[in-house]
Amino acid sequence: MNLNNYSESRVNKIRGAIEAQLLDYWQQLYNEYIEDGDADAEIWEEREIEAEQLADKPQTAYQFYRETVEMEDWGSVRAYRTELEGEAIDIIYVVTDGDDGWLEAYDAQGNLIGAARRYIELLAWGNVEDLRGQVKTLEFPAELDKNATLWQEEE
């Protein structure tokens, strides 16, 4: 899996760093929710950037989700720039009105690092075209086990 001259190891490290930050964020929200019921922060909030600051490919991704999710009024899309594994990474982060969404990560030159379908803190990385197609179907990839979330319902 060589994405734009990145070794598989490098891609996996960057994706792993994203996964770790998501897990930390959602773990904190979960703990706050359990303690006092108030969980209202946004991930990477201090790192949000305007879409115009993105390279072409991430800007195209942002516009796709803006038109298909945000303008259709069933979710929102945000662009973030953060440092992961020693380099600037742009993240297109999509949140639906439910618990799911999408995430796409790009390097500073606009090269795709990975695209994922998201359920709360869980990510399933896959082909960007297939994942964008799930915007219409709202399906989840088979490898995304929604029961593995921190927020699983009590029985």
Side-chain angles (χ1 to χ4, degrees), residues 4 13-15 19 25 27 39 43-44 47 76 82 84 88 94 102 106 114 131 142 147 149:
N4 304 305
K13 283 183 181 178
I14 294 170
R15 289 178 180 182
E19 291 168 3
Y25 165 75
Q27 182 68 63
I43 189 167
W44 300 305
R47 306 239 182 242
S76 62
T82 191
L84 297 169
V94 183
W102 292 263
Y106 296 84
L131 293 170
N147 294 320
T149 181

Side-chain angles (χ1 to χ4, degrees), residues 12-24:
N12 288 338
K13 283 183 181 178
I14 294 170
R15 289 178 180 182
I18 292 169
E19 291 168 3
Q21 286 188 1
L22 272 176
L23 181 59
D24 288 348

Side-chain angles (χ1 to χ4, degrees), residues 2-129:
N2 189 317
L3 290 175
N4 304 305
N5 298 322
Y6 280 88
S7 69
E8 184 173 354
S9 171
R10 184 79 178 138
V11 167
N12 288 338
K13 283 183 181 178
I14 294 170
R15 289 178 180 182
I18 292 169
E19 291 168 3
Q21 286 188 1
L22 272 176
L23 181 59
D24 288 348
Y25 165 75
W26 284 103
Q27 182 68 63
Q28 178 184 347
L29 283 187
Y30 183 77
N31 293 343
E32 290 173 11
Y33 174 77
I34 294 299
E35 290 173 14
D36 63 16
D38 186 25
D40 198 23
E42 287 188 37
I43 189 167
W44 300 305
E45 191 169 26
E46 71 284 355
R47 306 239 182 242
E48 188 170 0
I49 61 171
E50 298 295 322
E52 295 77 27
Q53 295 176 262
L54 296 165
D56 289 344
K57 288 180 183 176
Q59 192 170 104
T60 297
Y62 180 92
Q63 291 303 327
F64 169 79
Y65 292 111
R66 185 171 185 280
E67 291 170 11
T68 58
V69 176
E70 191 166 278
M71 293 179 74
E72 294 294 321
D73 198 29
W74 57 278
S76 62
V77 59
R78 299 286 182 267
Y80 302 102
R81 181 167 292 147
T82 191
E83 184 152 322
L84 297 169
E85 294 298 312
E87 67 180 286
I89 301 295
D90 290 340
I91 297 174
I92 309 305
Y93 190 73
V94 183
V95 179
T96 70
D97 291 342
D99 293 324
D100 64 318
W102 292 263
L103 181 149
E104 294 186 23
Y106 296 84
D107 69 12
Q109 292 73 43
N111 297 308
L112 181 68
I113 301 293
R117 184 74 164 95
R118 189 182 58 75
Y119 182 73
I120 310 177
E121 82 280 7
L122 306 174
L123 293 175
W125 298 97
N127 176 283
V128 69
E129 288 84 15

